[in-house]
Amino acid sequence: MDIRYQQIIKAYFEGRLDSEQTKVLAEWLYSSPEAVVEFKAELKRLREIPSADESAEAFLEKFNAVRSRRRSRRIFRGLCIGAAVSACITAVVVCTLYFSNPVDVKGTETVMPVAQADMTLPEQTVPSSEVEKAEVRLRLYQAPKSSKMPVTLPDGTSVTLNKGARLSLGKSFGHSSRAVNLDGEAFFDVAKDPKKPFIITCGEHNYVVKGTSFNIMSYSEDNYSVVTLHTGSLAAYINGDTLLLSPGDELSVDNEDGEMRRRKVDVTKSTRWMSDDALHFSSLPLKVVASQMSKKYGVCIHVNPSISNILYEGVIDDEPLSVALRLLSITAPEPLAVEKLNDSDYYIKKLNTL
C-alpha cells in the first residue's frame, strides 16, 4: 500500500482527516474493490480487532439514501466540511462498496460484496508461509442444478464444475497465493506457478497443489470428500496431518468419524461424470450414495446407520427412482431392502431387518 494512503487512513482512524485528505481517500476507495480491502485491512491493523470497520458501517443507513440521489462528486463537494463530516463521507464510500448488489448471472459468475464474504482458510491446517490468513470471498462461480459448467480462473486454471457445485475465490487470488473454496464436485487443471501455490478449501480440509490436475468431490452436507490425483503433486492437510499424494492416488475422508482411506485407482473413473449424466459410484459409502441419489431424484433417501459405511460400486443412469432403488438393493455388497415411507422419503436397511 502507498504510504500516502496509510497516512490518510491513520488520520481517518484518529479523527483528524481534513477536506483534502477526504477527497483523496474517497477517490481511492472508488477506484477498485482491492482498495476497499486494503482500507479495511489497514483499519484492522490499527485497531487490532476484527470489527475495525464498524464505525464506517454504522453510517450506511444514514447516508445510503443521500448517495442514491446525488452523484459521488456532489456528495464529496457538499460534505467535505471538517474532520467529523469527512469521516462520514468515507463511511458512505466504504459501505456503498461493501453492500452494492452483486452481478448475478445464473450459472456463470457472481461478484460478491466484501462485507458478505466469509471464507476463512483454517490457520491450523495450512502453513502460514503458504496461505494468507482471513481469506475473503470476492467471486463466486455456481453451476446450475441441471448442467455442468466450465470455468477459466484469472490465472488460467481450467475448472469443470459438476451440477450445483459452488467455487469461490479468495481476495488474494493471483497475488501471494491462489486460494479457492469448493462445495460440490469439480475437475481442476491448475496453471503452473511455483511462486503462488493453488490452495483449495473444502470445509475444514485444505489441498495445496502446483501445476496439477485432479478431481475432487466434497459436498458440505455429506461430510465426506474424495480427491483423485491425475497428474502433478498434491499435499492434503487433514485434521492436523499432512499427506502427499502421487498421480493415481485417491484420498477419501469421512468427516464424521475422521477416517481416511488412501488407495491406488484408475483415475479415469473419477471423471466419468464429465461425459454423461449418470451417477458413478466408485467405492463410496452407502450414505454418500443415498445423498447423491436424493439430489438427483429430489427426494430424501435415509440409510440405516448399521449399513451407512458399506462401500458401493455401481452406476445409476436415467432409470426411474423405483428402478434405481431396486438396482441399488440387489447390487450392494449385501442384500438390502428399501421401504417407501411416503412420496418423498425412503428408507434403506438390511434385508430382513426391522
Side-chain angles (χ1 to χ4, degrees):
M1 180 188 298
D2 191 308
I3 190 170
R4 178 181 59 159
Y5 294 132
Q6 283 186 320
Q7 293 172 344
I8 291 176
I9 294 172
K10 184 177 181 181
Y12 164 75
F13 175 73
E14 296 175 350
R16 53 182 178 81
L17 202 66
D18 61 31
S19 298
E20 183 60 31
Q21 289 175 319
T22 298
K23 182 179 179 180
V24 173
L25 181 58
E27 290 177 349
W28 177 59
L29 289 173
Y30 264 115
S31 66
S32 69
E34 288 77 14
V36 178
V37 174
E38 292 184 14
F39 171 76
K40 184 176 179 180
E42 182 65 11
L43 279 181
K44 287 183 179 180
R45 187 188 69 80
L46 291 170
R47 246 189 216 181
E48 297 182 349
I49 59 172
S51 58
D53 59 336
E54 288 179 355
S55 60
E57 293 179 354
F59 289 100
L60 172 63
E61 186 174 336
K62 181 176 180 181
F63 287 96
N64 202 33
V66 176
R67 183 187 179 278
S68 66
R69 294 193 301 267
R70 302 181 184 180
R71 299 183 62 178
S72 59
R73 291 183 180 178
R74 292 179 60 192
I75 294 176
F76 300 151
R77 190 163 56 245
L79 296 181
C80 290
I81 304 174
V85 179
S86 299
C88 295
I89 295 169
T90 307
V92 176
V93 177
V94 174
C95 295
T96 299
L97 288 169
Y98 282 359
F99 293 94
S100 299
N101 291 328
V103 178
D104 192 359
V105 182
K106 185 177 181 181
T108 55
E109 172 185 347
T110 302
V111 178
M112 301 293 292
V114 176
Q116 293 181 3
D118 59 3
M119 185 179 84
T120 302
L121 296 179
E123 181 180 346
Q124 70 275 19
T125 56
V126 176
S128 59
S129 61
E130 294 186 340
V131 62
E132 288 188 358
K133 299 177 183 178
E135 287 292 334
V136 179
R137 189 169 58 195
L138 291 180
R139 179 161 291 144
L140 171 68
Y141 302 92
Q142 181 166 8
K145 292 182 179 180
S146 58
S147 63
K148 300 144 194 159
M149 175 182 164
V151 173
T152 301
L153 302 185
D155 68 332
T157 293
S158 297
V159 185
T160 301
L161 298 176
N162 204 348
K163 298 176 182 178
R166 295 161 56 93
L167 179 70
S168 54
L169 274 60
K171 69 174 182 178
S172 67
F173 191 93
H175 297 286
S176 61
S177 66
R178 297 175 289 168
V180 302
N181 185 295
L182 175 69
D183 184 356
E185 184 169 22
F187 178 77
F188 290 81
D189 191 352
V190 178
K192 292 184 179 180
D193 189 342
K195 295 182 180 179
K196 299 172 185 176
F198 194 96
I199 303 166
I200 300 177
T201 296
C202 299
E204 297 180 355
H205 305 154
N206 297 290
Y207 304 93
V208 180
V209 300
K210 297 178 180 179
T212 303
S213 62
F214 59 97
N215 191 83
I216 185 166
M217 184 197 71
S218 180
Y219 291 91
S220 56
E221 64 267 31
D222 291 348
N223 285 319
Y224 194 89
S225 64
V226 181
V227 59
T228 309
L229 182 61
H230 289 224
T231 63
S233 61
L234 185 150
Y237 297 86
I238 311 293
N239 302 327
D241 294 325
T242 302
L243 294 90
L244 300 178
L245 303 189
S246 301
D249 284 349
E250 182 174 271
L251 178 67
S252 303
V253 183
D254 191 327
N255 297 333
E256 291 184 352
D257 56 19
E259 182 179 350
M260 293 186 287
R261 185 166 59 102
R262 179 175 177 173
R263 61 181 185 140
K264 284 291 184 181
V265 298
D266 175 1
V267 297
T268 61
K269 290 185 177 181
S270 69
T271 53
R272 286 177 178 173
W273 61 268
M274 296 175 65
S275 58
D276 59 42
D277 290 327
L279 294 178
H280 296 270
F281 305 114
S282 179
S283 295
L284 285 180
L286 197 57
K287 60 185 177 183
V288 178
V289 173
S291 176
Q292 293 199 18
M293 290 181 64
S294 296
K295 296 185 187 79
K296 179 179 177 69
Y297 291 100
V299 297
C300 290
I301 302 174
H302 310 276
V303 179
N304 186 288
S306 66
I307 58 172
S308 64
N309 288 319
I310 291 179
L311 299 181
Y312 179 76
E313 188 102 17
V315 179
I316 302 296
D317 207 336
D318 292 327
E319 301 90 355
L321 176 59
S322 59
V323 176
L325 289 171
R326 175 62 179 161
L327 184 63
L328 175 66
S329 67
I330 63 177
T331 57
E334 57 183 273
L336 303 176
V338 180
E339 179 182 351
K340 183 177 181 179
L341 304 179
N342 53 53
D343 289 340
S344 60
D345 288 272
Y346 296 80
Y347 185 69
I348 301 177
K349 59 183 180 180
K350 285 184 180 180
L351 191 64
N352 300 323
T353 299
L354 296 178

